[in-house]
Amino acid sequence: MKICPACGKENEDFWGSRARCLDCGSELTSQEPAAPATMSEEISALEMSAQEAAEASEPPAAPARKAKACPRCGVVNPGVARFCFGCGARFPEGRGAEGEPPAAGAAQDDSPAEAAAESVLEPQPPPFTVTVAVEHGHGQGATFTLQHVENTLGALGTNIELGDDLFVAPHAATLAFVDDRLVLRDEGSVNGVYVKLLEPAALEPGDLFVAGAHLLRYDGAVDLPREPEGETPLLGSPRPQGRAVRVVEVLAGGRTGRTCHSSGPTIAVGRSGCELNFASDTELATRHAEIRIAEDGSATLADPGNGPAGVFLRVRPLQHVDLRSGDVLQVGEESLRVELK
């Protein structure tokens, strides 16, 4: 059967290759229509199209995050570190900050310092054994053994999971092996990480610490306004004149509670007989914590050892501290003990 290209009439094929249409007389072509594709060929074509589409949509595999050396002090750091665990220097953005090469088109610098920052080492097992046990909180009784050179601490999906505590950030801190040390780094979460005092620690304005069930902030030296002259003074408790040190109680939601102004040399926190008294707090000792002001104005937070709960000082955001065996951490409502073996 041949179809007329002019009028569409169907003509029998026995007229030969040079036949003409029976209706309009137009010459009929002898070209045969292409044979339809078989079912197997159609399925193969569809499968190949789907595979090519899937491969095109898949993102390129991310390179493995490896350790990197600090260009300033030479300490080997985890691949995801943004700051050096040894000296605190910040790693340049886009050059190994995540253990990855710089993006295409980024400026290249082949200086020795940059080359040292980009040097990588193969992942190594931890140099010694560390366990982290939850002593109090939602996960009480859970014990974690650090399996990596770099270990995350936080909510679900971290190496040390505290997912049931609503006050714990997804990634609150990092515990990393640096040379022969175990280092804790705060990752800048809202509620932060606190370490129990084993010895007096220096205070800076803005530092937070926990005494009993109370969160307190050291504001440092402030200038108090003097009483105006020529007016009737208001009755009240005496307060230091001129320059003094301020300590503030921080309430839920960041609000300010009780405030203490003192010129020192000691500001005590406890249940009674102190500059800041919280009589109803059963977790406090009579004299639970002390802020000691030196002659040069520097301040030190100390635990007199009267309360078994101790005093906890917050690690400054994005800073790090060395941990020792027996150190106790407070993250949210969780209390964790670190043991080095």
Side-chain angles (χ1 to χ4, degrees):
M1 187 72 65
K2 293 184 179 181
I3 307 297
C4 177
C7 66
K9 167 96 175 148
E10 294 183 356
N11 296 267
E12 295 295 336
D13 197 21
F14 55 82
W15 295 103
S17 61
R18 304 292 297 176
R20 293 184 177 273
C21 177
L22 297 177
D23 274 5
C24 65
S26 299
E27 185 175 350
L28 301 176
T29 61
S30 60
Q31 295 180 354
E32 297 293 337
T38 63
M39 181 66 70
S40 60
E41 291 174 340
E42 292 180 355
I43 293 176
S44 299
L46 290 174
E47 290 178 347
M48 291 196 61
S49 298
Q51 182 178 356
E52 291 174 356
E55 292 176 353
S57 63
E58 289 181 357
R65 296 179 177 179
K66 301 179 180 180
K68 58 188 176 185
C70 175
R72 177 186 294 179
C73 65
V75 170
V76 177
N77 293 266
V80 297
R82 291 174 291 174
F83 297 82
C84 176
F85 281 88
C87 65
R90 184 181 182 91
F91 287 108
E93 294 293 338
R95 296 187 64 83
E98 296 291 337
E100 302 171 355
Q108 300 289 331
D109 187 356
D110 295 329
S111 63
E114 293 294 341
E118 289 185 344
S119 62
V120 295
L121 299 174
E122 292 297 330
Q124 299 293 328
F128 50 89
T129 302
V130 174
T131 59
V132 179
V134 182
E135 292 190 332
H136 176 75
H138 298 77
Q140 184 171 355
T143 301
F144 304 88
T145 300
L146 303 189
Q147 302 290 340
H148 312 283
V149 172
E150 175 194 358
N151 304 268
T152 55
L153 184 153
L156 295 175
T158 56
N159 302 123
I160 304 173
E161 283 192 346
L162 306 173
D164 291 337
D165 193 329
L166 298 178
F167 297 99
V168 177
H171 185 189
T174 299
L175 276 69
F177 294 89
V178 180
D179 297 332
D180 58 348
R181 300 174 294 141
L182 178 66
V183 176
L184 167 70
R185 178 175 180 79
D186 177 84
E187 296 299 337
S189 63
V190 173
N191 292 322
V193 180
Y194 295 76
V195 179
K196 187 176 182 179
L197 286 184
L198 298 179
E199 56 190 24
L203 281 178
E204 294 182 3
D207 280 346
L208 296 166
F209 64 95
V210 173
H214 289 79
L215 176 63
L216 304 166
R217 185 182 70 239
Y218 171 73
D219 285 345
V222 295
D223 289 321
L224 296 177
R226 296 185 178 274
E227 297 179 0
E229 298 180 0
E231 296 182 6
T232 303
L234 296 174
L235 289 174
S237 302
R239 68 176 184 177
Q241 296 296 315
R243 199 162 181 81
V245 170
R246 181 169 64 200
V247 181
V248 177
E249 178 190 14
V250 181
L251 303 177
R255 295 173 298 158
T256 299
R258 300 184 189 181
T259 301
C260 172
H261 292 92
S262 175
S263 56
T266 301
I267 302 175
V269 180
R271 296 187 66 182
S272 62
C274 302
E275 282 69 30
L276 272 173
N277 298 301
F278 302 96
S280 61
D281 189 348
T282 58
E283 298 182 20
L284 283 176
T286 302
R287 192 178 183 90
H288 194 94
E290 293 179 349
I291 298 175
R292 300 166 183 172
I293 311 299
E295 293 183 358
D296 60 358
S298 61
T300 302
L301 178 65
D303 179 3
N306 301 323
V311 180
F312 290 80
L313 178 62
R314 177 171 178 170
V315 180
R316 298 180 187 110
L318 301 179
Q319 297 296 311
H320 64 267
V321 295
D322 290 354
L323 294 181
R324 296 170 289 184
S325 187
D327 275 340
V328 178
L329 313 179
Q330 183 170 327
V331 188
E333 295 183 338
E334 313 301 309
S335 178
L336 315 173
R337 179 175 293 276
V338 180
E339 296 291 346
L340 282 62
K341 301 178 182 179

Short mmCIF file of all heavy atoms in Angstrom, two decimals, residues 30-85:
data_model
loop_
_atom_site.label_atom_id
_atom_site.label_comp_id
_atom_site.label_asym_id
_atom_site.label_seq_id
_atom_site.Cartn_x
_atom_site.Cartn_y
_atom_site.Cartn_z
N SER A 30 8.44 5.46 -3.81
CA SER A 30 8.67 4.04 -3.48
C SER A 30 9.29 3.85 -2.11
O SER A 30 9.67 2.75 -1.74
CB SER A 30 9.59 3.42 -4.54
OG SER A 30 10.83 4.09 -4.58
N GLN A 31 9.48 4.97 -1.29
CA GLN A 31 10.13 4.86 0.01
C GLN A 31 9.19 4.18 1.00
O GLN A 31 8.01 4.51 1.09
CB GLN A 31 10.50 6.24 0.53
CG GLN A 31 11.56 6.92 -0.34
CD GLN A 31 11.90 8.28 0.19
OE1 GLN A 31 11.27 8.74 1.13
NE2 GLN A 31 12.88 8.90 -0.42
N GLU A 32 9.70 3.24 1.73
CA GLU A 32 8.94 2.50 2.73
C GLU A 32 9.07 3.21 4.08
O GLU A 32 10.13 3.75 4.42
CB GLU A 32 9.45 1.05 2.83
CG GLU A 32 9.28 0.27 1.56
CD GLU A 32 7.82 0.02 1.24
OE1 GLU A 32 7.00 0.05 2.19
OE2 GLU A 32 7.50 -0.18 0.08
N PRO A 33 8.01 3.22 4.86
CA PRO A 33 8.12 3.82 6.20
C PRO A 33 9.08 3.02 7.07
O PRO A 33 9.21 1.81 6.91
CB PRO A 33 6.68 3.76 6.73
CG PRO A 33 6.03 2.66 5.96
CD PRO A 33 6.65 2.69 4.61
N ALA A 34 9.73 3.73 7.94
CA ALA A 34 10.69 3.05 8.81
C ALA A 34 9.97 2.10 9.73
O ALA A 34 8.85 2.36 10.20
CB ALA A 34 11.45 4.10 9.64
N ALA A 35 10.63 0.96 9.98
CA ALA A 35 10.04 -0.06 10.85
C ALA A 35 9.98 0.47 12.28
O ALA A 35 10.92 1.11 12.75
CB ALA A 35 10.89 -1.33 10.79
N PRO A 36 8.87 0.25 12.96
CA PRO A 36 8.75 0.75 14.33
C PRO A 36 9.75 0.06 15.26
O PRO A 36 10.13 -1.09 15.04
CB PRO A 36 7.30 0.40 14.71
CG PRO A 36 6.95 -0.74 13.82
CD PRO A 36 7.68 -0.51 12.54
N ALA A 37 10.18 0.80 16.28
CA ALA A 37 11.13 0.22 17.23
C ALA A 37 10.47 -0.86 18.05
O ALA A 37 9.28 -0.80 18.37
CB ALA A 37 11.65 1.33 18.16
N THR A 38 11.25 -1.87 18.36
CA THR A 38 10.73 -2.97 19.18
C THR A 38 10.58 -2.51 20.62
O THR A 38 11.14 -1.49 21.04
CB THR A 38 11.68 -4.17 19.12
OG1 THR A 38 12.94 -3.78 19.68
CG2 THR A 38 11.89 -4.64 17.70
N MET A 39 9.81 -3.30 21.40
CA MET A 39 9.58 -2.95 22.79
C MET A 39 10.88 -2.92 23.57
O MET A 39 11.12 -2.03 24.40
CB MET A 39 8.60 -3.96 23.42
CG MET A 39 8.28 -3.66 24.88
SD MET A 39 7.37 -2.11 25.06
CE MET A 39 5.82 -2.60 24.34
N SER A 40 11.78 -3.86 23.32
CA SER A 40 13.04 -3.90 24.05
C SER A 40 13.89 -2.68 23.75
O SER A 40 14.56 -2.14 24.63
CB SER A 40 13.81 -5.18 23.71
OG SER A 40 14.08 -5.23 22.32
N GLU A 41 13.86 -2.21 22.47
CA GLU A 41 14.63 -1.03 22.12
C GLU A 41 14.08 0.21 22.80
O GLU A 41 14.83 1.07 23.26
CB GLU A 41 14.63 -0.85 20.59
CG GLU A 41 15.43 -1.92 19.85
CD GLU A 41 15.27 -1.78 18.35
OE1 GLU A 41 14.29 -1.15 17.91
OE2 GLU A 41 16.13 -2.31 17.63
N GLU A 42 12.74 0.31 22.87
CA GLU A 42 12.13 1.45 23.55
C GLU A 42 12.47 1.45 25.04
O GLU A 42 12.79 2.49 25.63
CB GLU A 42 10.61 1.43 23.35
CG GLU A 42 10.18 1.69 21.91
CD GLU A 42 8.67 1.67 21.77
OE1 GLU A 42 8.01 1.35 22.78
OE2 GLU A 42 8.18 1.97 20.69
N ILE A 43 12.43 0.29 25.69
CA ILE A 43 12.75 0.19 27.12
C ILE A 43 14.20 0.57 27.37
O ILE A 43 14.53 1.30 28.31
CB ILE A 43 12.44 -1.22 27.64
CG1 ILE A 43 10.93 -1.48 27.59
CG2 ILE A 43 12.97 -1.40 29.05
CD1 ILE A 43 10.53 -2.87 27.99
N SER A 44 15.10 0.09 26.49
CA SER A 44 16.53 0.41 26.65
C SER A 44 16.76 1.91 26.53
O SER A 44 17.53 2.50 27.28
CB SER A 44 17.35 -0.34 25.60
OG SER A 44 17.21 -1.73 25.76
N ALA A 45 16.06 2.54 25.56
CA ALA A 45 16.22 3.98 25.38
C ALA A 45 15.72 4.75 26.60
O ALA A 45 16.35 5.72 27.06
CB ALA A 45 15.46 4.42 24.13
N LEU A 46 14.58 4.31 27.17
CA LEU A 46 14.05 4.97 28.36
C LEU A 46 14.97 4.81 29.56
O LEU A 46 15.19 5.73 30.34
CB LEU A 46 12.65 4.42 28.69
CG LEU A 46 11.52 4.79 27.71
CD1 LEU A 46 10.25 4.05 28.08
CD2 LEU A 46 11.29 6.30 27.71
N GLU A 47 15.54 3.60 29.73
CA GLU A 47 16.43 3.35 30.85
C GLU A 47 17.68 4.20 30.73
O GLU A 47 18.18 4.77 31.71
CB GLU A 47 16.80 1.86 30.91
CG GLU A 47 15.63 0.97 31.33
CD GLU A 47 16.02 -0.50 31.33
OE1 GLU A 47 17.09 -0.82 30.76
OE2 GLU A 47 15.27 -1.30 31.90
N MET A 48 18.22 4.33 29.52
CA MET A 48 19.42 5.14 29.34
C MET A 48 19.13 6.62 29.61
O MET A 48 19.92 7.33 30.21
CB MET A 48 19.98 4.96 27.93
CG MET A 48 20.55 3.57 27.68
SD MET A 48 21.59 3.51 26.22
CE MET A 48 22.87 4.65 26.61
N SER A 49 17.95 7.09 29.19
CA SER A 49 17.59 8.49 29.45
C SER A 49 17.46 8.75 30.94
O SER A 49 17.91 9.77 31.46
CB SER A 49 16.28 8.82 28.73
OG SER A 49 16.43 8.68 27.33
N ALA A 50 16.82 7.79 31.67
CA ALA A 50 16.66 7.95 33.12
C ALA A 50 18.01 7.94 33.82
O ALA A 50 18.26 8.72 34.75
CB ALA A 50 15.77 6.84 33.67
N GLN A 51 18.91 7.06 33.37
CA GLN A 51 20.24 6.98 33.99
C GLN A 51 21.02 8.27 33.76
O GLN A 51 21.67 8.80 34.65
CB GLN A 51 21.01 5.78 33.43
CG GLN A 51 22.39 5.61 34.06
CD GLN A 51 23.09 4.37 33.52
OE1 GLN A 51 22.52 3.63 32.74
NE2 GLN A 51 24.32 4.17 33.96
N GLU A 52 20.95 8.80 32.50
CA GLU A 52 21.67 10.04 32.21
C GLU A 52 21.12 11.20 33.03
O GLU A 52 21.86 12.05 33.52
CB GLU A 52 21.56 10.34 30.72
CG GLU A 52 22.34 9.36 29.83
CD GLU A 52 22.08 9.60 28.35
OE1 GLU A 52 21.24 10.49 28.05
OE2 GLU A 52 22.71 8.94 27.52
N ALA A 53 19.78 11.24 33.21
CA ALA A 53 19.17 12.31 34.00
C ALA A 53 19.59 12.22 35.46
O ALA A 53 19.87 13.22 36.12
CB ALA A 53 17.64 12.26 33.88
N ALA A 54 19.65 10.98 36.00
CA ALA A 54 20.05 10.79 37.39
C ALA A 54 21.49 11.21 37.61
O ALA A 54 21.84 11.85 38.59
CB ALA A 54 19.85 9.33 37.81
N GLU A 55 22.37 10.82 36.64
CA GLU A 55 23.77 11.19 36.77
C GLU A 55 23.95 12.70 36.68
O GLU A 55 24.80 13.29 37.35
CB GLU A 55 24.60 10.49 35.68
CG GLU A 55 24.69 8.98 35.86
CD GLU A 55 25.42 8.30 34.71
OE1 GLU A 55 25.73 9.02 33.72
OE2 GLU A 55 25.69 7.11 34.81
N ALA A 56 23.15 13.35 35.85
CA ALA A 56 23.27 14.80 35.72
C ALA A 56 22.80 15.52 36.97
O ALA A 56 23.29 16.59 37.32
CB ALA A 56 22.46 15.28 34.51
N SER A 57 21.80 14.93 37.69
CA SER A 57 21.26 15.59 38.87
C SER A 57 22.07 15.32 40.12
O SER A 57 21.92 16.02 41.13
CB SER A 57 19.81 15.13 39.11
OG SER A 57 19.78 13.73 39.37
N GLU A 58 22.93 14.31 40.13
CA GLU A 58 23.71 13.98 41.31
C GLU A 58 24.80 15.01 41.50
O GLU A 58 25.56 15.31 40.58
CB GLU A 58 24.32 12.58 41.18
CG GLU A 58 23.31 11.45 41.28
CD GLU A 58 23.98 10.11 41.16
OE1 GLU A 58 25.21 10.09 40.94
OE2 GLU A 58 23.29 9.10 41.28
N PRO A 59 24.93 15.57 42.74
CA PRO A 59 26.02 16.53 42.98
C PRO A 59 27.34 15.81 43.03
O PRO A 59 27.41 14.62 43.35
CB PRO A 59 25.65 17.11 44.36
CG PRO A 59 24.85 16.04 45.02
CD PRO A 59 24.07 15.35 43.90
N PRO A 60 28.42 16.49 42.71
CA PRO A 60 29.72 15.84 42.78
C PRO A 60 30.06 15.44 44.20
O PRO A 60 29.69 16.12 45.16
CB PRO A 60 30.68 16.93 42.26
CG PRO A 60 29.94 18.21 42.47
CD PRO A 60 28.49 17.87 42.28
N ALA A 61 30.70 14.32 44.34
CA ALA A 61 31.04 13.81 45.66
C ALA A 61 32.01 14.76 46.35
O ALA A 61 32.96 15.25 45.76
CB ALA A 61 31.68 12.43 45.54
N ALA A 62 31.71 15.05 47.64
CA ALA A 62 32.58 15.96 48.38
C ALA A 62 33.85 15.25 48.77
O ALA A 62 33.85 14.08 49.14
CB ALA A 62 31.85 16.45 49.65
N PRO A 63 34.98 15.94 48.70
CA PRO A 63 36.23 15.31 49.09
C PRO A 63 36.27 15.03 50.58
O PRO A 63 35.59 15.69 51.37
CB PRO A 63 37.28 16.36 48.71
CG PRO A 63 36.53 17.65 48.70
CD PRO A 63 35.14 17.31 48.26
N ALA A 64 37.03 14.05 50.98
CA ALA A 64 37.12 13.67 52.38
C ALA A 64 37.77 14.81 53.18
O ALA A 64 38.69 15.46 52.72
CB ALA A 64 37.96 12.40 52.54
N ARG A 65 37.22 15.03 54.38
CA ARG A 65 37.76 16.07 55.23
C ARG A 65 38.95 15.51 55.98
O ARG A 65 38.82 14.60 56.79
CB ARG A 65 36.69 16.56 56.21
CG ARG A 65 35.51 17.22 55.50
CD ARG A 65 34.47 17.67 56.49
NE ARG A 65 33.38 18.36 55.84
CZ ARG A 65 32.33 18.84 56.49
NH1 ARG A 65 32.23 18.72 57.77
NH2 ARG A 65 31.37 19.46 55.82
N LYS A 66 40.12 16.06 55.75
CA LYS A 66 41.33 15.56 56.35
C LYS A 66 41.90 16.61 57.30
O LYS A 66 41.51 17.76 57.30
CB LYS A 66 42.34 15.19 55.27
CG LYS A 66 41.82 14.11 54.31
CD LYS A 66 42.85 13.79 53.25
CE LYS A 66 42.33 12.72 52.30
NZ LYS A 66 43.31 12.39 51.25
N ALA A 67 42.86 16.17 58.09
CA ALA A 67 43.50 17.08 59.01
C ALA A 67 44.33 18.11 58.26
O ALA A 67 44.70 17.91 57.11
CB ALA A 67 44.37 16.28 59.98
N LYS A 68 44.60 19.23 58.93
CA LYS A 68 45.38 20.30 58.30
C LYS A 68 46.25 20.96 59.35
O LYS A 68 45.90 21.00 60.53
CB LYS A 68 44.47 21.31 57.63
CG LYS A 68 43.47 21.96 58.58
CD LYS A 68 42.47 22.80 57.83
CE LYS A 68 41.42 23.36 58.78
NZ LYS A 68 40.37 24.10 58.09
N ALA A 69 47.38 21.47 58.91
CA ALA A 69 48.34 22.09 59.81
C ALA A 69 48.14 23.59 59.86
O ALA A 69 47.82 24.22 58.86
CB ALA A 69 49.76 21.77 59.36
N CYS A 70 48.31 24.18 61.04
CA CYS A 70 48.18 25.63 61.21
C CYS A 70 49.42 26.31 60.64
O CYS A 70 50.54 25.92 60.97
CB CYS A 70 48.00 25.98 62.68
SG CYS A 70 47.99 27.76 63.01
N PRO A 71 49.26 27.35 59.82
CA PRO A 71 50.42 28.04 59.27
C PRO A 71 51.19 28.84 60.31
O PRO A 71 52.33 29.19 60.08
CB PRO A 71 49.81 28.95 58.20
CG PRO A 71 48.41 29.18 58.66
CD PRO A 71 47.98 27.91 59.33
N ARG A 72 50.54 29.13 61.46
CA ARG A 72 51.21 29.95 62.47
C ARG A 72 52.01 29.10 63.45
O ARG A 72 53.20 29.38 63.69
CB ARG A 72 50.19 30.78 63.24
CG ARG A 72 50.81 31.60 64.37
CD ARG A 72 49.76 32.31 65.19
NE ARG A 72 49.05 33.33 64.42
CZ ARG A 72 48.07 34.07 64.92
NH1 ARG A 72 47.68 33.88 66.17
NH2 ARG A 72 47.46 34.97 64.16
N CYS A 73 51.39 28.04 64.03
CA CYS A 73 52.07 27.27 65.07
C CYS A 73 52.38 25.84 64.65
O CYS A 73 53.09 25.13 65.37
CB CYS A 73 51.23 27.26 66.35
SG CYS A 73 49.64 26.39 66.18
N GLY A 74 51.82 25.38 63.52
CA GLY A 74 52.12 24.04 63.03
C GLY A 74 51.30 22.93 63.63
O GLY A 74 51.47 21.77 63.28
N VAL A 75 50.37 23.25 64.57
CA VAL A 75 49.54 22.22 65.19
C VAL A 75 48.59 21.64 64.15
O VAL A 75 48.00 22.36 63.34
CB VAL A 75 48.74 22.82 66.37
CG1 VAL A 75 47.69 21.84 66.86
CG2 VAL A 75 49.69 23.17 67.50
N VAL A 76 48.45 20.30 64.15
CA VAL A 76 47.55 19.62 63.22
C VAL A 76 46.13 19.70 63.77
O VAL A 76 45.87 19.33 64.92
CB VAL A 76 47.98 18.16 63.03
CG1 VAL A 76 46.99 17.44 62.11
CG2 VAL A 76 49.39 18.10 62.44
N ASN A 77 45.20 20.19 62.94
CA ASN A 77 43.83 20.42 63.35
C ASN A 77 42.87 19.54 62.54
O ASN A 77 43.21 19.11 61.43
CB ASN A 77 43.43 21.89 63.12
CG ASN A 77 44.19 22.83 64.02
OD1 ASN A 77 43.72 23.20 65.08
ND2 ASN A 77 45.39 23.23 63.59
N PRO A 78 41.66 19.28 63.05
CA PRO A 78 40.65 18.57 62.26
C PRO A 78 40.32 19.33 60.99
O PRO A 78 40.44 20.56 60.93
CB PRO A 78 39.44 18.50 63.21
CG PRO A 78 40.01 18.68 64.58
CD PRO A 78 41.22 19.56 64.42
N GLY A 79 39.89 18.61 59.97
CA GLY A 79 39.66 19.22 58.68
C GLY A 79 38.57 20.27 58.68
O GLY A 79 38.60 21.18 57.86
N VAL A 80 37.57 20.17 59.57
CA VAL A 80 36.46 21.12 59.58
C VAL A 80 36.72 22.32 60.50
O VAL A 80 35.86 23.18 60.64
CB VAL A 80 35.15 20.43 60.01
CG1 VAL A 80 34.77 19.35 59.03
CG2 VAL A 80 35.29 19.86 61.42
N ALA A 81 37.87 22.36 61.14
CA ALA A 81 38.14 23.44 62.09
C ALA A 81 38.21 24.78 61.37
O ALA A 81 38.82 24.91 60.31
CB ALA A 81 39.45 23.18 62.82
N ARG A 82 37.58 25.79 61.95
CA ARG A 82 37.65 27.15 61.42
C ARG A 82 38.74 27.96 62.12
O ARG A 82 39.20 28.96 61.61
CB ARG A 82 36.29 27.84 61.58
CG ARG A 82 35.20 27.27 60.69
CD ARG A 82 33.86 27.89 60.99
NE ARG A 82 33.39 27.48 62.30
CZ ARG A 82 32.29 27.96 62.89
NH1 ARG A 82 31.59 28.89 62.29
NH2 ARG A 82 31.92 27.53 64.07
N PHE A 83 39.12 27.51 63.34
CA PHE A 83 40.18 28.15 64.09
C PHE A 83 41.17 27.08 64.55
O PHE A 83 40.79 25.92 64.76
CB PHE A 83 39.61 28.88 65.33
CG PHE A 83 38.68 29.99 65.00
CD1 PHE A 83 37.35 29.74 64.70
CD2 PHE A 83 39.11 31.30 64.98
CE1 PHE A 83 36.47 30.75 64.40
CE2 PHE A 83 38.24 32.33 64.69
CZ PHE A 83 36.92 32.06 64.40
N CYS A 84 42.42 27.47 64.74
CA CYS A 84 43.44 26.52 65.19
C CYS A 84 43.20 26.15 66.64
O CYS A 84 42.98 27.02 67.49
CB CYS A 84 44.83 27.13 65.01
SG CYS A 84 46.15 26.09 65.65
N PHE A 85 43.28 24.86 66.96
CA PHE A 85 43.11 24.40 68.32
C PHE A 85 44.35 24.71 69.17
O PHE A 85 44.30 24.61 70.38
CB PHE A 85 42.83 22.90 68.36
CG PHE A 85 41.42 22.54 68.04
CD1 PHE A 85 41.02 22.33 66.73
CD2 PHE A 85 40.48 22.42 69.03
CE1 PHE A 85 39.71 22.00 66.43
CE2 PHE A 85 39.17 22.10 68.74
CZ PHE A 85 38.78 21.89 67.44
#
